[in-house]
Amino acid sequence: AAAAADGEKAEDVAAATPATAAEPAAAAEPVRIRVLDALTASGLRALRYVKEIDEVSSVVANDLEPQAVAALRENVRRNGISEDVIVPSTGDAVDVMHRSKPPDGQRFEAVELDPYGTAAPFLDGAMQCVAEGGLLMVTCTDLAVLCGTYPEACHAKYGSYPLKAKYCHEAALRIVLACMEGHANRHRRYIVPLLSMHINFYVRLFVRVYTSPGEVKKSPTKLSHVYQCTGCETFSLMPLARKVVRGEHEKIVPGQGPPVGRECEHCGRVHHVGGPLWTAPMHDPAFITELLKSLQSGEGAELASAKRLIGMLTAVQEELHDVPLFLQLNAMCNVLHVTVPPMLSVVSALMRQGYRVSRSHTDPSAIKTDAPSRALWDVLRCWAATQPKRSKGLSETAPATAMLATEPLVQADFTPTREAQDLLAKKTEAGEKVGRFMPNPDEWGPGSRSTSHAFG
């Protein structure tokens, strides 16, 4: 019963990929994975690891509340599993992780952090107790904090100042990644993201952790501050540092900035500054491709949410992984006070000018592109010229007034292209229908904090 529950949540990803926690061994010995479920609650996920992943040799299931551990023991008994395989533990998760680090302890090949709210207090311990090349899986449900509703709290917890923006859910992922990288760097380690997703009301991240002082020096090149216009919400990124190659040597030097003037070049409003956040790729395309192959080949057929997982992973796979953040088509048209054009028309116009374009798994109306912001606004200026003018209620100081008065440098052609049609098609290359943006599941949203654990 425990293994069949929670079918819509992202732990199905972990259950479907048994070989991700460690590289396959060169020798003939089978891979054996020790897992730490640091905040186990009733032990549902610990049970699923044991029942669904053959390579898992044992799971240490820890919780601070004795009632939760009692529920865990009962669930382990009902599922016919030995406590040598799922090892109950009562204590502070940070203490458990610190006791597992060298030289006195034994590290875990996979570490699971799924608290109620923020995972920030547990990241430092997790970075020390995960094995070399091991898998760290983190869930954060405090999206109000990460998305800018409480920016001071976000800076206190994650060390980054968020901005209110349409890309807030992707920014939330990048803020958590930056926080994880910072904790890893303190111990001469660094992270390699495999998969980072915004799902329902939380963010879920899968990263591998390695040790290398040389790679740690490059970490500032993966972080950037964000300059965002207060009028049209156009943003620019300023890397903290950059890598300079001189002959056979690499050197990390300070970033150059600011990337914009005090006033926005498009509408004349001032900029707000946020960050730092992670601006390196937050997915591993090869990993996602293999994961999709595994699910589509039927290995994940027993998962209740297989169809939903395939849709979400397809959306992630199609993203431009080297383009951080995005602009939202609906919001841009709202700034200009024009009707929203078909996504196909805008994507076709940008692609015809030689730019790369994709959507984002966090927002169906998102436009991720390597085109400069001026090119994207020019496309919408051309679209606005074909629409009835909405002069009523538009003040002289409104951003749209200045932006629409600027002539586009290039006239956009909105004729649909085959490339754009293929990008937006709801089918895979094999011709199968895929729903990338599924409706919210039943009983959507976070539940209330548990106060007791009862079983009978």
Side-chain angles (χ1 to χ4, degrees):
D6 210 16
E8 291 291 345
K9 295 194 70 176
E11 56 265 25
D12 284 345
V13 175
T17 54
T20 59
E23 290 287 356
E29 295 182 4
V31 175
R32 306 305 294 168
I33 301 171
R34 294 178 65 249
V35 180
L36 170 63
D37 188 1
L39 305 148
T40 195
S42 62
L44 169 62
R45 199 167 295 176
L47 289 163
R48 294 195 62 189
Y49 280 132
V50 171
K51 282 181 166 289
E52 300 178 22
I53 304 176
D54 295 336
E55 289 82 358
V56 170
S57 60
S58 64
V59 178
V60 174
N62 176 77
D63 202 281
L64 182 63
E65 296 184 11
Q67 301 97 322
V69 178
L72 163 71
R73 291 182 183 276
E74 178 64 14
N75 287 332
V76 168
R77 183 191 67 79
R78 291 185 179 186
N79 281 270
I81 301 174
S82 168
E83 290 194 3
D84 293 331
V85 177
I86 295 183
V87 182
S89 170
T90 306
D92 189 300
V94 175
D95 291 338
V96 173
M97 289 187 285
H98 278 292
R99 290 198 302 269
S100 304
K101 66 182 184 181
D104 300 326
Q106 182 181 2
R107 284 173 165 168
F108 296 90
E109 285 73 33
V111 175
E112 173 73 59
L113 293 179
D114 187 1
Y116 188 94
T118 178
F122 310 102
L123 292 177
D124 195 78
M127 290 299 171
Q128 299 178 68
C129 78
V130 64
E132 182 69 12
L135 184 66
L136 175 58
M137 299 160 284
V138 175
T139 303
C140 294
T141 63
D142 57 335
L143 284 187
V145 171
L146 287 165
C147 292
T149 303
Y150 308 103
E152 300 89 349
C154 184
H155 185 268
K157 293 178 179 179
Y158 297 97
S160 180
Y161 197 91
L163 298 176
K164 277 282 191 179
K166 300 301 180 183
Y167 56 71
C168 62
H169 291 129
E170 181 177 330
L173 290 165
R174 295 184 179 277
I175 287 172
V176 177
L177 285 171
C179 183
M180 295 170 71
E181 177 77 351
H183 284 289
N185 290 169
R186 296 180 183 93
H187 305 286
R188 311 197 319 171
R189 312 190 88 182
Y190 68 99
I191 64 170
V192 176
L194 295 179
L195 179 63
S196 309
M197 297 189 68
H198 164 251
I199 308 169
N200 298 339
F201 55 89
Y202 59 93
V203 291
R204 177 75 166 160
L205 306 99
F206 299 81
V207 305
R208 300 185 73 169
V209 181
Y210 296 93
T211 305
S212 172
E215 287 296 323
V216 168
K217 293 179 181 179
K218 302 176 185 178
S219 290
T221 65
K222 305 172 187 176
L223 306 176
S224 299
H225 284 286
V226 183
Y227 285 72
Q228 180 178 295
C229 173
T230 57
C232 62
E233 295 193 0
T234 303
F235 65 87
S236 299
L237 298 171
M238 187 184 75
L240 291 184
R242 53 198 173 91
K243 182 172 65 175
V244 176
V245 180
R246 295 173 181 170
E248 298 180 357
H249 301 282
E250 291 181 353
K251 187 176 182 180
I252 306 302
V253 299
Q256 296 177 338
V260 293
R262 186 177 185 278
E263 297 178 347
C264 175
E265 63 173 312
H266 305 294
C267 68
R269 299 292 181 88
V270 297
H271 290 89
H272 283 170
V273 184
L277 47 79
W278 179 275
T279 46
M282 59 179 187
H283 311 294
D284 181 346
F287 170 77
I288 296 171
T289 299
E290 289 301 314
L291 185 54
L292 273 171
K293 286 181 180 178
S294 174
L295 289 167
Q296 291 168 343
S297 66
E299 292 182 26
E302 72 281 1
L303 298 177
S305 57
K307 185 176 180 180
R308 180 177 174 84
L309 285 172
I310 291 173
M312 291 190 299
L313 291 170
T314 300
V316 170
Q317 185 185 48
E318 294 172 347
E319 288 183 5
L320 292 176
H321 300 301
D322 58 343
V323 177
L325 307 181
F326 58 81
L327 288 168
Q328 190 192 58
L329 184 58
N330 295 351
M332 296 179 74
C333 291
N334 187 51
V335 170
L336 295 180
H337 293 267
V338 298
T339 58
V340 181
M343 178 71 76
L344 177 60
S345 300
V346 176
V347 172
S348 297
L350 289 169
M351 286 184 169
R352 191 171 276 107
Q353 296 179 31
Y355 300 116
R356 296 181 298 140
V357 187
S358 79
R359 301 164 88 175
S360 168
H361 80 275
T362 65
D363 192 327
S365 65
I367 296 180
K368 292 176 76 75
T369 178
D370 59 355
S373 56
R374 171 63 190 255
L376 190 50
W377 284 117
D378 276 353
V379 168
L380 293 183
R381 288 188 185 98
C382 294
W383 171 259
T386 67
Q387 305 300 304
K389 292 185 178 180
R390 297 184 178 182
S391 57
K392 184 179 180 181
L394 194 61
S395 69
E396 291 296 325
T397 59
T401 302
M403 298 177 77
L404 292 175
T406 304
E407 290 295 323
L409 298 178
V410 178
Q411 289 296 320
D413 183 352
F414 295 101
T415 306
T417 64
R418 173 57 62 182
E419 187 179 4
Q421 290 174 339
D422 291 342
L423 173 67
L424 301 176
K426 295 183 178 181
K427 293 184 180 181
T428 63
E429 295 179 357
E432 299 177 355
K433 283 190 174 183
V434 175
R436 291 164 177 77
F437 301 96
M438 306 286 283
N440 292 327
D442 295 336
E443 300 180 2
W444 181 85
S448 59
R449 182 189 292 270
S450 174
T451 56
S452 64
H453 300 269
F455 52 87

